[in-house]
Amino acid sequence: SRLTNNRVVMRCALAVVLIVVTIPTLVLVGCATSRSGDEPELGTLLDRVIAAGAPGVFVVLREDGKVVRSGARGFADRSRSIPMRADERFRIGSITKTFVATLVLLLVEDGTLRLDDTVEHWLPGLAPAGRAITVRDLLSHTAGLFDYVEDERVLRAHERRWTPRELVAIAVAYPPERSPPGKSFAYSSTNYIVLGLILEQLTGMSAPAAFQNRIFEPLGLNHTSLPALAANQIPDPH
């Protein structure tokens, strides 16, 4: 991809440091440098990320399943001066939503879930507006649910392990968006927490088990996992 705006390049590169599960060979394809030679080389871009204050960064580009370019700068663990490597496991954060949506759509394809099913249908009493919010609304961020990430308690408690239902409870304590569900876009991580709870209710499995069964194992994603809430550990190197 040709990116001529340095701010966009920097924002994409910084995403590696900030984002969360374990896909060691799929990072920042959209932030790659052009092969035409008229844009900064990969190493230069990585150097800029470190100069901007990030502790570490790595990029791996693949084409037809083969690694064609990779690079790393900075530290994977700055406190112990462990250098970053291009084969590290890392948390992908909100990219987890892509996997949640994939699993939801697989279940829709199976006929076990409908996009027009409501939250109340699968999780009675979870949300005050549950009868009006559909799976489709959750997927498209049009459910009108407050984003729990914006709550000060969540922002301050960095080391606390919140349960999904605790996070939803925080979100539904706030007034919903002015527009009714399905009418306007408002990005909210709460939507995908609710989808995860629906998946667990529907499949009878924990979210980690459901992902392993339907996505990771069939696709041979041997280095990808969703850590259980109690464990929250990533295998080394990470």
Side-chain angles (χ1 to χ4, degrees), residues 54-230:
V57 59
F58 71 89
V59 173
V60 178
L61 304 177
R62 303 182 75 181
E63 185 175 291
D64 297 327
K66 297 180 180 179
V67 175
V68 295
R69 192 175 300 179
S70 66
R73 296 288 191 278
F75 297 103
D77 187 333
R78 189 157 52 183
S79 67
R80 294 186 292 167
S81 298
I82 298 176
M84 184 74 81
R85 293 166 26 184
D87 62 349
E88 303 280 5
R89 292 180 170 88
F90 62 97
R91 296 184 181 276
I92 64 170
S94 283
I95 297 178
T96 304
K97 292 182 177 68
T98 306
F99 288 85
V100 174
T102 298
L103 184 50
V104 166
L105 294 176
L106 284 173
L107 294 172
V108 170
E109 187 177 59
D110 291 346
T112 55
L113 180 66
R114 298 185 309 125
L115 292 176
D116 292 326
D117 283 349
T118 66
V119 172
E120 183 69 17
H121 173 77
W122 289 105
L123 302 168
L126 182 73
R131 289 185 173 84
I133 299 172
T134 66
V135 170
R136 189 191 309 273
D137 298 331
L138 297 171
L139 285 169
S140 60
H141 291 290
T142 59
L145 293 173
F146 177 83
D147 192 343
Y148 69 82
V149 176
E150 301 298 326
D151 183 89
E152 288 190 6
R153 289 166 292 179
V154 177
L155 289 172
R156 292 175 179 173
H158 299 297
E159 300 302 321
R160 174 169 174 175
R161 297 177 184 176
W162 300 91
T163 68
R165 287 183 178 270
E166 285 177 331
L167 296 175
V168 174
I170 287 173
V172 299
Y174 286 85
E177 296 291 325
R178 294 179 181 179
S179 301
K183 296 298 182 182
S184 62
F185 175 87
Y187 185 91
S188 173
S189 293
T190 306
N191 295 319
Y192 278 72
I193 295 291
V194 175
L195 284 171
L197 289 170
I198 290 175
L199 291 174
E200 290 187 329
Q201 179 70 17
L202 190 156
T203 63
M205 294 186 285
S206 67
F211 277 85
Q212 183 67 33
N213 181 264
R214 294 301 303 268
I215 298 180
F216 304 150
E217 190 171 322
L219 294 180
L221 301 179
N222 299 321
H223 300 287
T224 303
S225 63
L226 179 64
L229 183 64

